[in-house]
Amino acid sequence: SAVISQKPSRDICQRGTSLTIQCQVDSQVTMMFWYRQQPGQSLTLIATANQGSEATYESGFVIDKFPISRPNLTFSTLTVSNMSPEDSSIYLCSVESRDSSYEQYFGPGTRLTVT
Amino acid sequence: KNEVEQSPQNLTAQEGEFITINCSYSVGISALHWLQQHPGGGIVSLFMLSSGKKKHGRLIATINIQEKHSSLHITASHPRDSAVYICAALGGATNKLIFGTGTLLAVQP
């Protein structure tokens, strides 16, 4: 298994500002994923972050709004830029097991409120 | 129609009751996950299934590949089981998780 931590766990931000969320894994993993969960909704994949390459964004998400870094096999950041109240969500990172068993592990989430 | 459908959306049970949550999917999958989300937002992976049945404590998950259906059962339910339960299908073609909308379970003492 993989143990994932996220920082911050929650934050309240002013509109127009940016927040960077950190995701740390206790083991080396190839694929990391960033999800958004808007209030009352299920999870939506923002992007897939592989070490050593540009993140791959899903339809409706762009790099200028959600830049992602993946400097090594245990760490990634997601920045939510120029925030608006519509960005208020839980942001979760997850990782896929390196043994390709389809297991995915999720972080505790970052609860973001934009005022 | 969503590719992954869950039922019921909301479920209230009395402590000790046997609970079943259903998940149907319409896409080809490599595996199916059952996840638990508590009010704080963090998600715990309960099961990952590609066939048959798995059991962990009071939780049992089954999957019928032919019928494209999975169930999560909770025996002897307890108030601490109160959470949102989410099924997520790992798409065979895309290798990405497709999430159901979740089932909000409340177990009353």
Side-chain angles (χ1 to χ4, degrees), chain B residues 8-29:
Chain B
Q9 285 190 310
N10 294 281
L11 181 56
T12 300
Q14 293 297 315
E15 183 172 358
E17 284 186 4
F18 180 83
I19 289 164
T20 296
I21 300 169
N22 295 299
C23 177
S24 297
Y25 53 92
S26 57
V27 295
I29 68 168

Side-chain angles (χ1 to χ4, degrees), chain B residues 2-107:
Chain B
N2 293 334
E3 292 174 303
V4 179
E5 300 260 357
Q6 280 185 243
S7 64
Q9 285 190 310
N10 294 281
L11 181 56
T12 300
Q14 293 297 315
E15 183 172 358
E17 284 186 4
F18 180 83
I19 289 164
T20 296
I21 300 169
N22 295 299
C23 177
S24 297
Y25 53 92
S26 57
V27 295
I29 68 168
S30 304
L32 186 131
H33 293 254
W34 280 101
L35 310 170
Q36 181 190 55
Q37 185 173 35
H38 280 280
I43 288 179
V44 174
S45 180
L46 299 174
F47 294 105
M48 193 275 296
L49 293 164
S50 53
S51 64
K53 175 180 175 179
K54 286 189 176 180
K55 184 177 189 292
H56 184 251
R58 295 180 294 106
L59 301 178
I60 303 167
T62 64
I63 188 167
N64 184 317
I65 299 296
Q66 287 72 33
E67 295 185 4
K68 295 188 174 180
H69 181 269
S70 178
S71 294
L72 176 69
H73 306 284
I74 305 175
T75 62
S77 58
H78 189 276
R80 65 174 174 265
D81 297 325
S82 299
V84 175
Y85 292 83
I86 303 169
C87 77
L90 185 62
T94 65
N95 216 33
K96 293 175 183 172
L97 285 177
I98 307 165
F99 293 88
T101 52
T103 295
L104 176 60
L105 171 65
V107 181

Side-chain angles (χ1 to χ4, degrees), chain A residues 4 63 97:
Chain A
I4 303 170
I63 188 171
S97 169

Side-chain angles (χ1 to χ4, degrees), chain A residues 10 35 37 42-45 48 58 90 92 96 101-104 106-109 111, chain B residues 30-31 33 35 37 39-43 45 48 54 86 90 95-97 99-101:
Chain A
R10 59 176 61 227
Y35 292 92
Q37 186 180 31
S42 193
L43 283 77
T44 302
L45 180 63
T48 302
E58 297 299 303
I90 297 172
L92 295 113
E96 186 177 84
S101 62
Y102 303 130
E103 292 278 1
Q104 279 205 15
F106 289 83
R111 186 180 293 271
Chain B
S30 304
H33 293 254
L35 310 170
Q37 185 173 35
I43 288 179
S45 180
M48 193 275 296
K54 286 189 176 180
I86 303 169
L90 185 62
N95 216 33
K96 293 175 183 172
L97 285 177
F99 293 88
T101 52

